[in-house]
């Protein structure tokens, strides 16, 4: 069985296939498909016996054709899971949401009770100070360009207003400790703020996620009137380039290194005392090599006060930032994430962000 008809929706060289849909799928998605035998029946590409008619059916279909059929009416802003989401997004959304079945689980005509870009309801939100999750009313309104939440259902004024312009959402089940956990970030006074939410129903939290993407999509259509859907869709939401613990020292590099949780969000490197903190203790802008930014293995020879042995030095036009990692593999992953950002030329609007960081008090 030749799996070359795979179009990239599944893991490269997948070992499983749905012989009723004519698509190749990865091992994780095959488990999802097995739960919906009325829609999809699966076989191993390598281990199971294949009838000639089944082989011919696969050859005449394939992932591209199936995607054109099943996703033909799915709006551009709907998130289309890929093989890397199988353990995350698909588990959150439940059966039927892996790549080619996304339309069946989330068809806008019969599953979404709100117009795109608007949604209201109750979500469990983590308290900033006590860490408890409490039920809060949320309202997303594209017309006002904001996501709001209220501490009381009868409250007239929202507790927080998050502008769609600077909003991002990413699934964080492990960090939040709930399979339907979603982290929402926004900018307030040009500093990052986090809120952590979940809903008991995986379908509900996915609908919130797609509603946020819809609101972002319509905002960007206005902000960039000449841009195509293909240009805008990658900007709707983003996952973090890298997260994890490192040690850091202060700007004078005379104090000891302290363990902090770091998040690399595009060009913003943020650090927190705890992964679920609402506010970052600090943020570092990572520019491009053309602007004088470098990533170096190791620490300057005179460095003292660190505990973890694997160092990283970030060189900026103004100063050096020193970090240490617990393991060599952590160091390699962080260096690769930093280098990816440094190697990418800066966009015009990113120079304005860089200037703000330079003028922070």
């Amino acid at each position: 069985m030749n799996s070359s008809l795979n179009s990239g929706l599944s893991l490269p060289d997948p070992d499983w296939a749905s012989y009723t849909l004519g698509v190749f799928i990865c091992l994780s998605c095959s488990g999802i498909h097995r739960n919906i035998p009325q829609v999809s029946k699966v076989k191993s590409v390598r281990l199971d016996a294949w009838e000639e008619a089944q082989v011919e059916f696969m050859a005449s279909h394939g992932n591209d054709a199936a995607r054109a059929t099943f996703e033909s009416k799915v709006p551009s802003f709907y998130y289309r899971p890929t093989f890397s989401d199988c353990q995350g997004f698909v588990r959150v959304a439940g059966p039927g949401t892996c790549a080619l079945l996304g339309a069946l689980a989330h068809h806008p005509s019969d599953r979404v009770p709100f117009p795109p870009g608007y949604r209201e309801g109750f979500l469990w939100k983590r308290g900033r100070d006590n860490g408890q999750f409490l039920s809060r009313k949320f309202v997303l309104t594209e017309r006002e360009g904001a996501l709001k939440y209220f501490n009381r259902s009868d409250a007239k004024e929202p507790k927080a207003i998050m502008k769609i312009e600077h909003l991002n959402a990413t699934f964080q089940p492990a960090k939040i400790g709930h399979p339907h956990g979603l982290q929402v970030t926004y900018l307030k006074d040009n500093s990052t703020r986090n809120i952590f939410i979940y809903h008991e129903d995986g379908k509900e939290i996915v609908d919130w996620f797609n509603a946020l993407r819809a609101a972002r999509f319509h905002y960007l259509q206005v902000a960039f009137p000449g841009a195509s859907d293909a240009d805008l869709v990658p900007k709707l939401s983003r996952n973090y380039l890298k997260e994890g613990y490192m040690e850091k020292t202060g700007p004078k590099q005379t104090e000891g290194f302290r363990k902090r949780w770091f998040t690399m969000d595009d060009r913003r490197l943020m650090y927190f005392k705890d992964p679920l903190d609402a506010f970052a203790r600090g943020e570092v802008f990572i520019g491009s090599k053309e602007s004088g930014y470098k990533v170096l293995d190791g620490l300057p020879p005179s460095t003292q006060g660190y505990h973890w042995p694997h160092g990283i030095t970030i060189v900026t036009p103004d100063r050096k930032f020193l970090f240490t990692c617990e393991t060599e593999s952590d160091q390699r992953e962080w260096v690769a994430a930093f280098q990816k950002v440094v190697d990418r030329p800066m966009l015009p609007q990113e120079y304005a962000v860089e200037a703000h960081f330079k003028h922070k008090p």
Side-chain angles (χ1 to χ4, degrees):
M1 170 65 65
N2 186 346
S3 62
S4 62
L5 294 178
N6 173 45
S7 68
L9 294 171
S10 179
L11 191 70
D13 299 318
D15 287 333
W16 293 84
S18 167
Y19 61 90
T20 53
L21 296 175
V23 298
F24 294 95
I25 53 179
C26 65
L27 176 62
S28 296
C29 282
S30 72
I32 301 293
H33 282 242
R34 287 186 186 278
N35 289 329
I36 44 174
Q38 69 276 18
V39 175
S40 179
K41 298 183 185 298
V42 300
K43 279 188 174 184
S44 168
V45 171
R46 306 180 192 279
L47 302 178
D48 289 329
W50 285 76
E51 300 174 7
E52 185 175 347
Q54 293 171 341
V55 174
E56 291 177 355
F57 181 79
M58 295 295 299
S60 63
H61 288 74
N63 291 28
D64 284 336
R67 185 175 190 176
T69 298
F70 293 122
E71 297 186 354
S72 61
K73 295 183 179 180
V74 175
S76 299
F77 56 79
Y78 267 61
Y79 184 72
R80 290 163 168 79
T82 67
F83 68 87
S84 61
D85 297 300
C86 287
Q87 299 301 316
F89 186 90
V90 174
R91 183 178 295 160
V92 170
T97 27
C98 66
L100 291 169
L101 299 183
L104 298 180
H106 295 109
H107 196 286
S109 64
D110 60 2
R111 293 297 185 110
V112 181
F114 301 103
Y118 181 87
R119 193 167 190 87
E120 64 176 77
F122 286 86
L123 299 168
W124 292 96
K125 177 190 172 292
R126 188 180 190 273
R128 189 180 78 185
D129 300 321
N130 57 20
Q132 293 182 328
F133 281 87
L134 301 172
S135 181
R136 294 290 183 253
K137 180 182 178 181
F138 280 78
V139 177
L140 171 68
T141 167
E142 176 194 313
R143 182 176 56 83
E144 298 178 19
L147 172 67
K148 303 180 286 187
Y149 79 85
F150 301 80
N151 270 356
R152 301 189 316 276
S153 58
D154 59 348
K156 294 182 178 180
E157 296 297 325
K159 176 66 175 177
I161 300 176
M162 296 159 267
K163 293 294 185 182
I164 289 171
E165 177 183 1
H166 301 298
L167 204 66
N168 184 51
T170 180
F171 284 102
Q172 294 277 20
K175 182 193 287 190
I176 294 174
H178 191 280
H180 309 152
L182 192 69
Q183 179 175 348
V184 176
T185 64
Y186 63 104
L187 292 182
K188 183 176 181 180
D189 301 325
N190 211 41
S191 294
T192 303
R193 299 291 185 261
N194 300 318
I195 63 169
F196 302 94
I197 57 177
Y198 71 84
H199 196 283
E200 295 293 351
D201 182 354
K203 174 64 170 56
E204 182 72 14
I205 202 69
V206 168
D207 284 344
W208 270 100
F209 179 66
N210 278 321
L212 290 169
R213 284 173 58 89
R216 288 268 305 154
F217 182 65
H218 296 140
Y219 162 77
L220 291 171
Q221 282 181 315
V222 175
F224 303 97
S228 67
D229 287 4
D231 293 330
L232 299 181
V233 166
K235 303 177 186 297
L236 302 185
S237 61
R238 61 190 180 275
N239 293 324
Y240 299 131
L241 296 178
K242 172 74 177 165
E243 284 195 290
Y245 284 107
M246 289 193 293
E247 289 185 332
K248 68 170 289 292
T249 187
K252 296 182 179 180
Q253 301 168 11
T254 56
E255 59 200 64
F257 281 67
R258 295 179 179 177
K259 180 181 175 182
R260 293 290 182 258
W261 177 267
F262 284 83
T263 296
M264 189 72 207
D265 183 9
D266 198 28
R267 291 193 182 275
R268 288 176 181 260
L269 177 65
M270 299 167 284
Y271 57 91
F272 307 83
K273 189 173 182 180
D274 183 272
L276 294 175
D277 283 347
F279 312 122
R281 292 293 183 96
E283 300 187 45
V284 179
F285 181 85
I286 309 294
S288 66
K289 57 187 178 184
E290 290 85 359
S291 298
Y293 293 80
K294 296 180 183 177
V295 184
L296 305 175
D297 286 339
L299 302 173
S302 60
T303 307
Q304 298 178 352
Y306 57 91
H307 309 94
W308 288 348
H310 305 285
I312 301 173
T313 300
I314 302 290
V315 180
T316 78
D318 300 318
R319 56 166 286 197
K320 294 179 180 179
F321 293 89
L322 309 184
F323 310 105
T324 59
C325 301
E326 186 174 18
T327 67
E328 187 177 355
S329 62
D330 280 346
Q331 180 200 40
R332 286 198 304 267
E333 291 175 6
W334 275 110
V335 168
F338 291 143
Q339 197 64 54
K340 182 178 180 180
V341 173
V342 169
D343 288 343
R344 192 180 75 227
M346 285 170 58
L347 300 172
Q349 57 267 34
E350 290 175 332
Y351 285 99
V353 178
E354 180 189 39
H356 172 80
F357 272 81
K358 287 183 176 180
H359 292 95
K360 270 187 175 183

